[in-house]
Amino acid sequence: PPKKQSTEGGPETKTAATTGVYQQAALRTLILRAKLNRRSPKMALRGPAYLGLGIPYCLERRDVRVQAKSGKGKTCVFVLSVLNLLEVTAATTPVRCLVLCNTRELAIQITDEFRRFGKHLPSIKTLTLIGKVPVNQKLRAKAHEHAIVVGTIGRVADLVRRKELVLDELQFLVIDEAD
């Protein structure tokens, strides 16, 4: 970001306040898919804007590691980035994004976020694969209709091992709470 000029005409170093203003503006001006920008006011982005600055790096398809305390917007970074980059044209699509989680609760929470932000993107479907939920034929067949699969490591590994979840055309891999 350019340095702010002081009233005396010399360069002024960035303060936390000016950096915060810059970051807020950068987050608001992100170029996202038009349908993602049609969020309702109830879906306003809350929390530190600096996490949203990870989105441009994701949009450049760079490998990104986001680390912050709980509730600071890490999920939003990858959800908005993936939804913006996925190109789904057919009703049946191979899995393009796999999100691995360490708990059932986290997988359900992330699926909800994909559905919430992707509300106006009906061609992008999300499937949750978690333990303690029986995997039946209907669920196995549905895996090929969803561009995004969110699941626990054990359940996903089991389905891949049995060749019931095909990841040949995977474009995005997200490992949430890798610690």
Side-chain angles (χ1 to χ4, degrees):
K3 291 190 179 216
K4 184 177 172 186
Q5 293 293 322
S6 70
T7 54
E8 289 86 33
E12 183 180 295
T13 58
K14 295 184 294 179
T15 64
T18 59
T19 302
V21 169
Y22 173 78
Q23 291 167 343
Q24 290 280 347
L27 183 58
R28 278 195 301 271
T29 59
L30 283 174
I31 298 175
L32 294 175
R33 199 181 271 199
K35 291 184 178 180
L36 285 176
N37 282 325
R38 288 187 357 200
R39 300 183 307 273
S40 72
K42 290 181 184 178
M43 294 168 57
L45 299 176
R46 293 184 183 90
Y50 66 87
L51 285 178
L53 292 177
I55 295 174
Y57 295 103
C58 293
L59 296 179
E60 293 174 2
R61 295 182 181 265
R62 292 186 188 181
D63 291 342
V64 177
R65 177 179 157 212
V66 178
Q67 186 174 359
K69 291 182 180 180
S70 181
K72 300 297 181 190
K74 299 178 297 290
T75 302
C76 182
V77 170
F78 71 80
V79 167
L80 287 175
S81 299
V82 167
L83 288 173
N84 193 68
L85 290 169
L86 274 180
E87 293 294 331
V88 177
T89 54
T92 303
T93 183
V95 176
R96 301 276 171 80
C97 174
L98 175 63
V99 181
L100 294 175
C101 310
N102 57 2
T103 66
R104 303 170 74 244
E105 294 77 15
L106 183 59
I108 292 166
Q109 174 190 340
I110 291 170
T111 300
D112 290 345
E113 291 301 298
F114 270 110
R115 290 180 179 150
R116 181 172 77 112
F117 284 107
K119 177 179 165 182
H120 300 292
L121 301 168
S123 62
I124 298 177
K125 297 179 182 171
T126 306
L127 177 66
T128 310
L129 297 173
I130 55 177
K132 298 184 182 176
V133 175
V135 180
N136 56 32
Q137 280 300 69
K138 198 184 276 187
L139 183 63
R140 289 181 186 127
K142 282 186 175 185
H144 302 289
E145 298 172 7
H146 293 77
I148 302 168
V149 171
V150 181
T152 53
I153 296 166
R155 179 51 56 106
V156 169
D158 180 49
L159 292 173
V160 169
R161 191 173 20 258
R162 290 193 269 158
K163 298 184 180 3
E164 294 175 4
L165 179 62
V166 180
L167 303 174
D168 292 344
E169 296 189 43
L170 194 66
Q171 295 175 352
F172 306 98
L173 173 64
V174 177
I175 303 172
D176 201 351
E177 297 201 15
D179 55 337

